[in-house]
Amino acid sequence: MDDLLTPAQAASQWGVSYATAARWAREGTIPALHVGRRYYYLQGTVDHVRRARTTGTVPYPNHCANAGVAMTMTWGVARSGTLLDREEWALTNAARTFDYLDYGKDSWSQDRHVAVKMAEASPGLAGQMLVHRKAREGVVDAVCRSFSQVIDLGCGLPAMRRAPHERGRVLWGSQARTVYVDHDRAALAAARAWWEHPAQVRGGNVRVLDLDLRFPETLASALEEHLDLSVPVGVLSSLTLDHLEDSEVTGLVEALAARLAPGSGWGITHLSGMVGAADVYTGQAQAQGADTRLVAREPDGLRKVFEAAGWGRWRGLSPREPGGGEPPIAALTTLARPGRCAEPA
């Protein structure tokens, strides 16, 4: 089952028609996929799921053992180590780990291993991530309705659920401008393939920038080349500030407050608490020598950082599920200190 299969081989092995095998492959049910002239290979944790079905336990909380195999999507050529160094390929990745926690499909075995350990250390993580999906949709909708120019900080892997540029295009038409920012190469490649190139072909204003949020001055200067910062813009950070230290969050918030126009808004989603999960992820990253971490925060502490930099009118949007435990941090805040705004170019 770990072998790479074409749809014809999968159809023969699973005893179904070619069309059914191709559909199951697209849905991530079987470890094979053939789309047009491109071959994608999915390496599934088949043995893990089989053990889960036998013992009655599930690989990840809230994942039904019979719902299918958790899959990994990567180019077949990459498995031979010709695209990236195999050691780098094997490192735990924040975008892929949180894609799995968000019930996505673009994760690898090492990412799923860390995600399961995080869920074991913080039992409320699975429920909080489930609520986060609804919270993120509310934050994205609120920001896109208020601003025709939107900056998505740490966009991560594309999630096919209400992307900011698609929402802005519906609301603002040709006036909509969207800038996605990330420094993870896998996230950048996926965002450019799914969002930037198709949008530019259709005449849309979408850009994907390779920038590190730990260098906010460089970020602010690059944004001036693609957006009109003399008018208010909307900022999104969905599970992004979780990966920055307190000093880095303060620097980023203050730098954008100094460059953006008064009235600009910032939509935030952030895990609430989850100290155990943060320690597990950070420890795993340090053991691998990866330059990433996860920081546990509470709503009041994050709000004070924004208010100190001039972002006021903090409005919480965290949905609460009955019996769901502590919800994630989801809030909107507005730049209310005109004195911190730089003169427009």
Side-chain angles (χ1 to χ4, degrees), residues 129-147:
M129 288 298 299
L130 194 62
V131 177
H132 173 266
R133 301 177 66 176
K134 184 186 298 184
R136 181 183 183 277
E137 290 184 359
V139 169
V140 170
D141 187 71
V143 171
C144 292
R145 283 184 176 276
S146 303
F147 304 98

Side-chain angles (χ1 to χ4, degrees), residues 296-345:
R297 292 189 176 92
E298 298 297 336
D300 290 341
L302 195 61
R303 176 177 55 83
K304 292 178 181 178
V305 172
F306 277 83
E307 290 179 347
W311 298 85
R313 288 185 285 177
W314 180 279
R315 182 162 63 96
L317 296 177
S318 297
R320 289 187 175 273
E321 296 289 338
E326 186 69 19
I329 302 171
L332 296 173
T333 184
T334 306
L335 183 58
R337 188 179 301 175
R340 299 190 67 87
C341 180
E343 292 296 330

Side-chain angles (χ1 to χ4, degrees), residues 8 10 22 83 169 191 337:
L83 293 185
R169 180 176 57 84
R337 188 179 301 175

Side-chain angles (χ1 to χ4, degrees), residues 48-321:
H48 193 179
V49 174
R50 283 176 173 170
R51 286 195 299 269
R53 292 173 179 173
T54 303
T55 61
T57 60
V58 295
Y60 172 64
N62 289 359
H63 267 201
C64 178
N66 294 320
V69 179
M71 295 297 176
T72 299
M73 184 171 71
T74 182
W75 291 101
V77 182
R79 301 183 80 246
S80 64
T82 58
L83 293 185
L84 287 176
D85 182 76
R86 291 181 67 88
E87 293 182 359
E88 181 179 352
W89 206 257
L91 293 178
T92 300
N93 179 275
R96 296 194 306 263
T97 300
F98 275 87
D99 179 81
Y100 179 65
L101 288 171
D102 196 30
Y103 303 90
K105 60 179 177 54
D106 298 330
S107 60
W108 300 350
S109 58
Q110 62 269 26
D111 307 307
R112 296 191 290 272
H113 176 70
V114 174
V116 170
K117 292 175 64 178
M118 292 169 62
E120 291 173 351
S122 296
L125 178 61
Q128 192 167 122
M129 288 298 299
L130 194 62
V131 177
H132 173 266
R133 301 177 66 176
K134 184 186 298 184
R136 181 183 183 277
E137 290 184 359
V139 169
V140 170
D141 187 71
V143 171
C144 292
R145 283 184 176 276
S146 303
F147 304 98
S148 60
Q149 301 183 110
V150 176
I151 308 164
D152 191 350
L153 302 178
C155 59
L157 293 170
M160 303 296 109
R161 298 185 300 271
R162 197 171 295 187
H165 74 277
E166 294 179 348
R167 189 64 175 154
R169 180 176 57 84
V170 172
L171 294 169
W172 300 93
S174 59
Q175 298 180 8
R177 296 184 182 180
T178 307
V179 174
Y180 294 100
V181 178
D182 211 306
H183 75 285
D184 181 87
R185 286 188 290 177
L188 289 169
R192 285 168 176 160
W194 279 98
W195 293 337
E196 184 179 50
H197 177 68
Q200 291 184 5
V201 170
R202 295 194 300 264
N205 296 314
V206 177
R207 294 292 183 273
V208 179
L209 304 182
D210 182 3
L211 295 169
D212 194 330
L213 302 184
R214 293 171 296 181
F215 303 95
E217 294 299 331
T218 304
L219 167 67
S221 300
L223 293 176
E224 291 178 344
E225 301 178 6
H226 302 282
L227 300 175
D228 182 6
L229 300 188
S230 63
V231 298
V233 302
V235 182
L236 287 169
S237 58
S238 179
L239 296 183
T240 300
L241 303 181
D242 311 58
H243 302 285
L244 299 178
E245 299 287 357
D246 293 341
S247 60
E248 295 169 346
V249 172
T250 301
L252 175 64
V253 170
E254 291 179 349
L256 291 184
R259 295 294 186 96
L260 302 184
S264 296
W266 196 320
I268 307 153
T269 66
H270 193 296
L271 292 179
S272 177
M274 302 298 153
V275 178
D279 291 342
V280 168
Y281 182 86
T282 304
Q284 176 74 11
Q286 291 177 350
Q288 294 180 342
D291 188 17
T292 182
R293 84 284 299 164
L294 191 64
V295 181
R297 292 189 176 92
E298 298 297 336
D300 290 341
L302 195 61
R303 176 177 55 83
K304 292 178 181 178
V305 172
F306 277 83
E307 290 179 347
W311 298 85
R313 288 185 285 177
W314 180 279
R315 182 162 63 96
L317 296 177
S318 297
R320 289 187 175 273
E321 296 289 338

